[in-house]
Amino acid sequence: MAFTSRFTRLVLLVFSFLAATAVQAQACELTINGDDMIKFDKSTLTIAPDCESVTLTLNHTGMLPKDQMGHNWVLSGSDNWQTIATEGLTEGVENDYLNEDDERIIAYTDLIGGGESTSVTFDVGQLNAGEEYTFFCSFPGHWATMNGTLVVAADS
Ligand code: ZN
C-alpha cells in the first residue's frame, strides 16, 4: 500500500509538471483576425523571449470566399516583404498568391476564405530579438493595408 501511495504522488507530480508546461506553451501562441474590409485586427505582434517556437492562428472573420477576399499571413524581413508580395501576384489563387519556395519567407499560412481558420508553427531561433519583421497578406492588393510588425521581445 505504501508503494501505491508513493506511486500516486509521483503520478500527481508528473501531471502538475505537464500542466505547468502547457500553460507556459500557451504564451507562445499568437492570434490575428482578418475581415472582409481588407484589414487585420492587429498591427503589431510580439513574441515572448523564452519561446522556442510560436504558433500563429489566422481567423478569417468575414464571409467572402477565398478567390474574392482570401487572406493569408506571411512573415519576412522588413526589407523584402513588398517584393515577395508583388512576386506573389503571378502565382495565382491556386498557389495562394505566394512563391512558397522563396527562402526570404520566414513563415506562412494557407490562404483562407470567410469563416475559415488556419495556423502555422515556426522556429523563433531564426529571428533576432529586437529586430522588426513584417507580416502581410499576399492576396492581390491586400498587402497595402494588411501588414504589420512582428518583434521578439528582448530578454528582460
Ligand atoms: Zn487578404
Side-chain angles (χ1 to χ4, degrees), residues 28 48-54 122-125:
C28 300
D50 56 347
C51 293
E52 288 180 11
S53 70
V54 161
F122 57 98
D123 263 344
V124 177

Side-chain angles (χ1 to χ4, degrees), residues 29-51:
E29 292 178 4
L30 301 171
T31 303
I32 192 165
N33 301 317
D35 61 18
D36 284 343
M37 307 301 287
I38 319 182
K39 275 192 226 147
F40 282 132
D41 67 340
K42 291 183 180 121
S43 57
T44 307
L45 294 169
T46 304
I47 299 173
D50 56 347
C51 293

